[in-house]
Amino acid sequence: MRVKTKKQAVIRTIYNNYNLWEDSKDDAIETLKANDITITDSAIWEEIYNQDEYDWIGIKDDLERFFNGESTWILQGTCECWDGNHKAGMIFEDFEEMLNKAAKDCDYIHLYDKNGHLYLKCSHHDGTNYYEIKKVTDRGVEYLANWEDNWDDNRTEQYVHNQIMERYSVLPHFGHKVYCYPKIEWKKEERDVVEMEK
């Protein structure tokens, strides 16, 4: 029998350099052919890196225009190190500063949107970091300021950030607002289930 279709959010990639060779090799070869350049692995890689850098400049400009304004943002998730996964996060107002900290020592980055949620995955030699980015509401900014200004408040930074992430933040909807992706987009996966004989 066939089970009911399960809904999963479509992953809308903003930027991804995890699989550059697989994703960009064919385009790079076409560019080299069009420019009468001898096709070698090193020439292909050089073209891939040039295109990736060009793409990243445009995407980074879009990200900075979106994040660098009068809004406050929160990034929260896990950072994988040689000794295991650790909770990590920060409040930020500058995208480049946040990325330099969150993706420090990372060679690979995947930034993607799932129905308004914005996720950052980045990998380094010790493991992979996973984060979500949300916009802090005005009440969240006030909540943070009250905690920072009260020397007698014994709540930890992690506790305060958890409260902001859960109660005082909203989805950024970056893909929808900047690239006109549908606000909500689902893909369907069907699974065959074998009915066992009784």
Side-chain angles (χ1 to χ4, degrees):
M1 83 177 163
R2 195 171 295 277
V3 297
K4 189 174 180 181
T5 303
K6 181 181 177 184
K7 289 191 345 180
Q8 290 185 341
V10 173
I11 295 174
R12 286 86 65 95
T13 293
I14 310 301
Y15 175 77
N16 186 358
N17 69 347
Y18 271 85
N19 300 299
L20 286 178
W21 182 263
E22 294 84 357
D23 295 341
S24 306
K25 178 184 176 185
D26 293 341
D27 289 339
I29 290 172
E30 288 303 313
T31 301
L32 294 174
K33 285 180 181 177
N35 291 294
D36 292 325
I37 298 172
T38 303
I39 297 172
T40 63
D41 281 355
S42 61
I44 294 169
W45 271 120
E46 184 176 350
E47 180 58 34
I48 288 172
Y49 287 139
N50 287 340
Q51 186 58 52
D52 179 63
E53 184 178 1
Y54 177 80
D55 291 344
W56 173 241
I57 288 169
I59 293 165
K60 187 169 172 257
D61 284 347
D62 292 338
L63 289 161
E64 289 178 342
R65 275 194 298 274
F66 184 81
F67 285 102
N68 299 355
E70 297 180 10
S71 297
T72 301
W73 303 88
I74 184 168
L75 170 136
Q76 195 172 51
T78 59
C79 177
E80 188 176 14
C81 299
W82 63 271
D83 59 348
N85 279 323
H86 303 276
K87 292 192 175 188
M90 70 186 81
I91 303 290
F92 71 95
E93 295 177 355
D94 181 275
F95 178 81
E96 185 171 15
E97 182 180 339
M98 175 277 293
L99 189 64
N100 287 339
K101 290 179 182 176
K104 183 179 179 184
D105 298 325
C106 291
D107 298 311
Y108 303 102
I109 293 174
H110 185 198
L111 186 67
Y112 58 98
D113 178 290
K114 287 175 73 174
N115 289 346
H117 293 267
L118 188 63
Y119 296 104
L120 172 63
K121 171 186 171 185
C122 45
S123 297
H124 48 89
H125 64 279
D126 282 326
T128 300
N129 305 337
Y130 295 94
Y131 304 107
E132 182 174 6
I133 301 168
K134 294 175 82 175
K135 182 179 180 182
V136 180
T137 63
D138 290 342
R139 287 187 64 197
V141 171
E142 184 178 338
Y143 178 86
L144 179 66
N146 288 340
W147 172 74
E148 290 175 336
D149 294 340
N150 184 352
W151 292 95
D152 295 326
D153 193 327
N154 294 325
R155 291 175 297 174
T156 64
E157 181 180 65
Q158 184 175 330
Y159 174 86
V160 171
H161 285 191
N162 286 344
Q163 293 301 307
I164 291 172
M165 196 71 173
E166 293 170 17
R167 300 174 57 202
Y168 301 114
S169 62
V170 294
L171 300 181
H173 288 286
F174 175 85
H176 175 69
K177 292 177 180 176
V178 176
Y179 296 127
C180 300
Y181 296 155
K183 200 166 191 179
I184 303 292
E185 188 175 10
W186 302 99
K187 64 180 180 179
K188 294 185 178 182
E189 290 186 2
E190 292 186 354
R191 296 181 300 167
D192 288 330
V193 176
V194 178
E195 193 169 16
M196 302 294 291
E197 289 185 8
K198 295 182 181 178

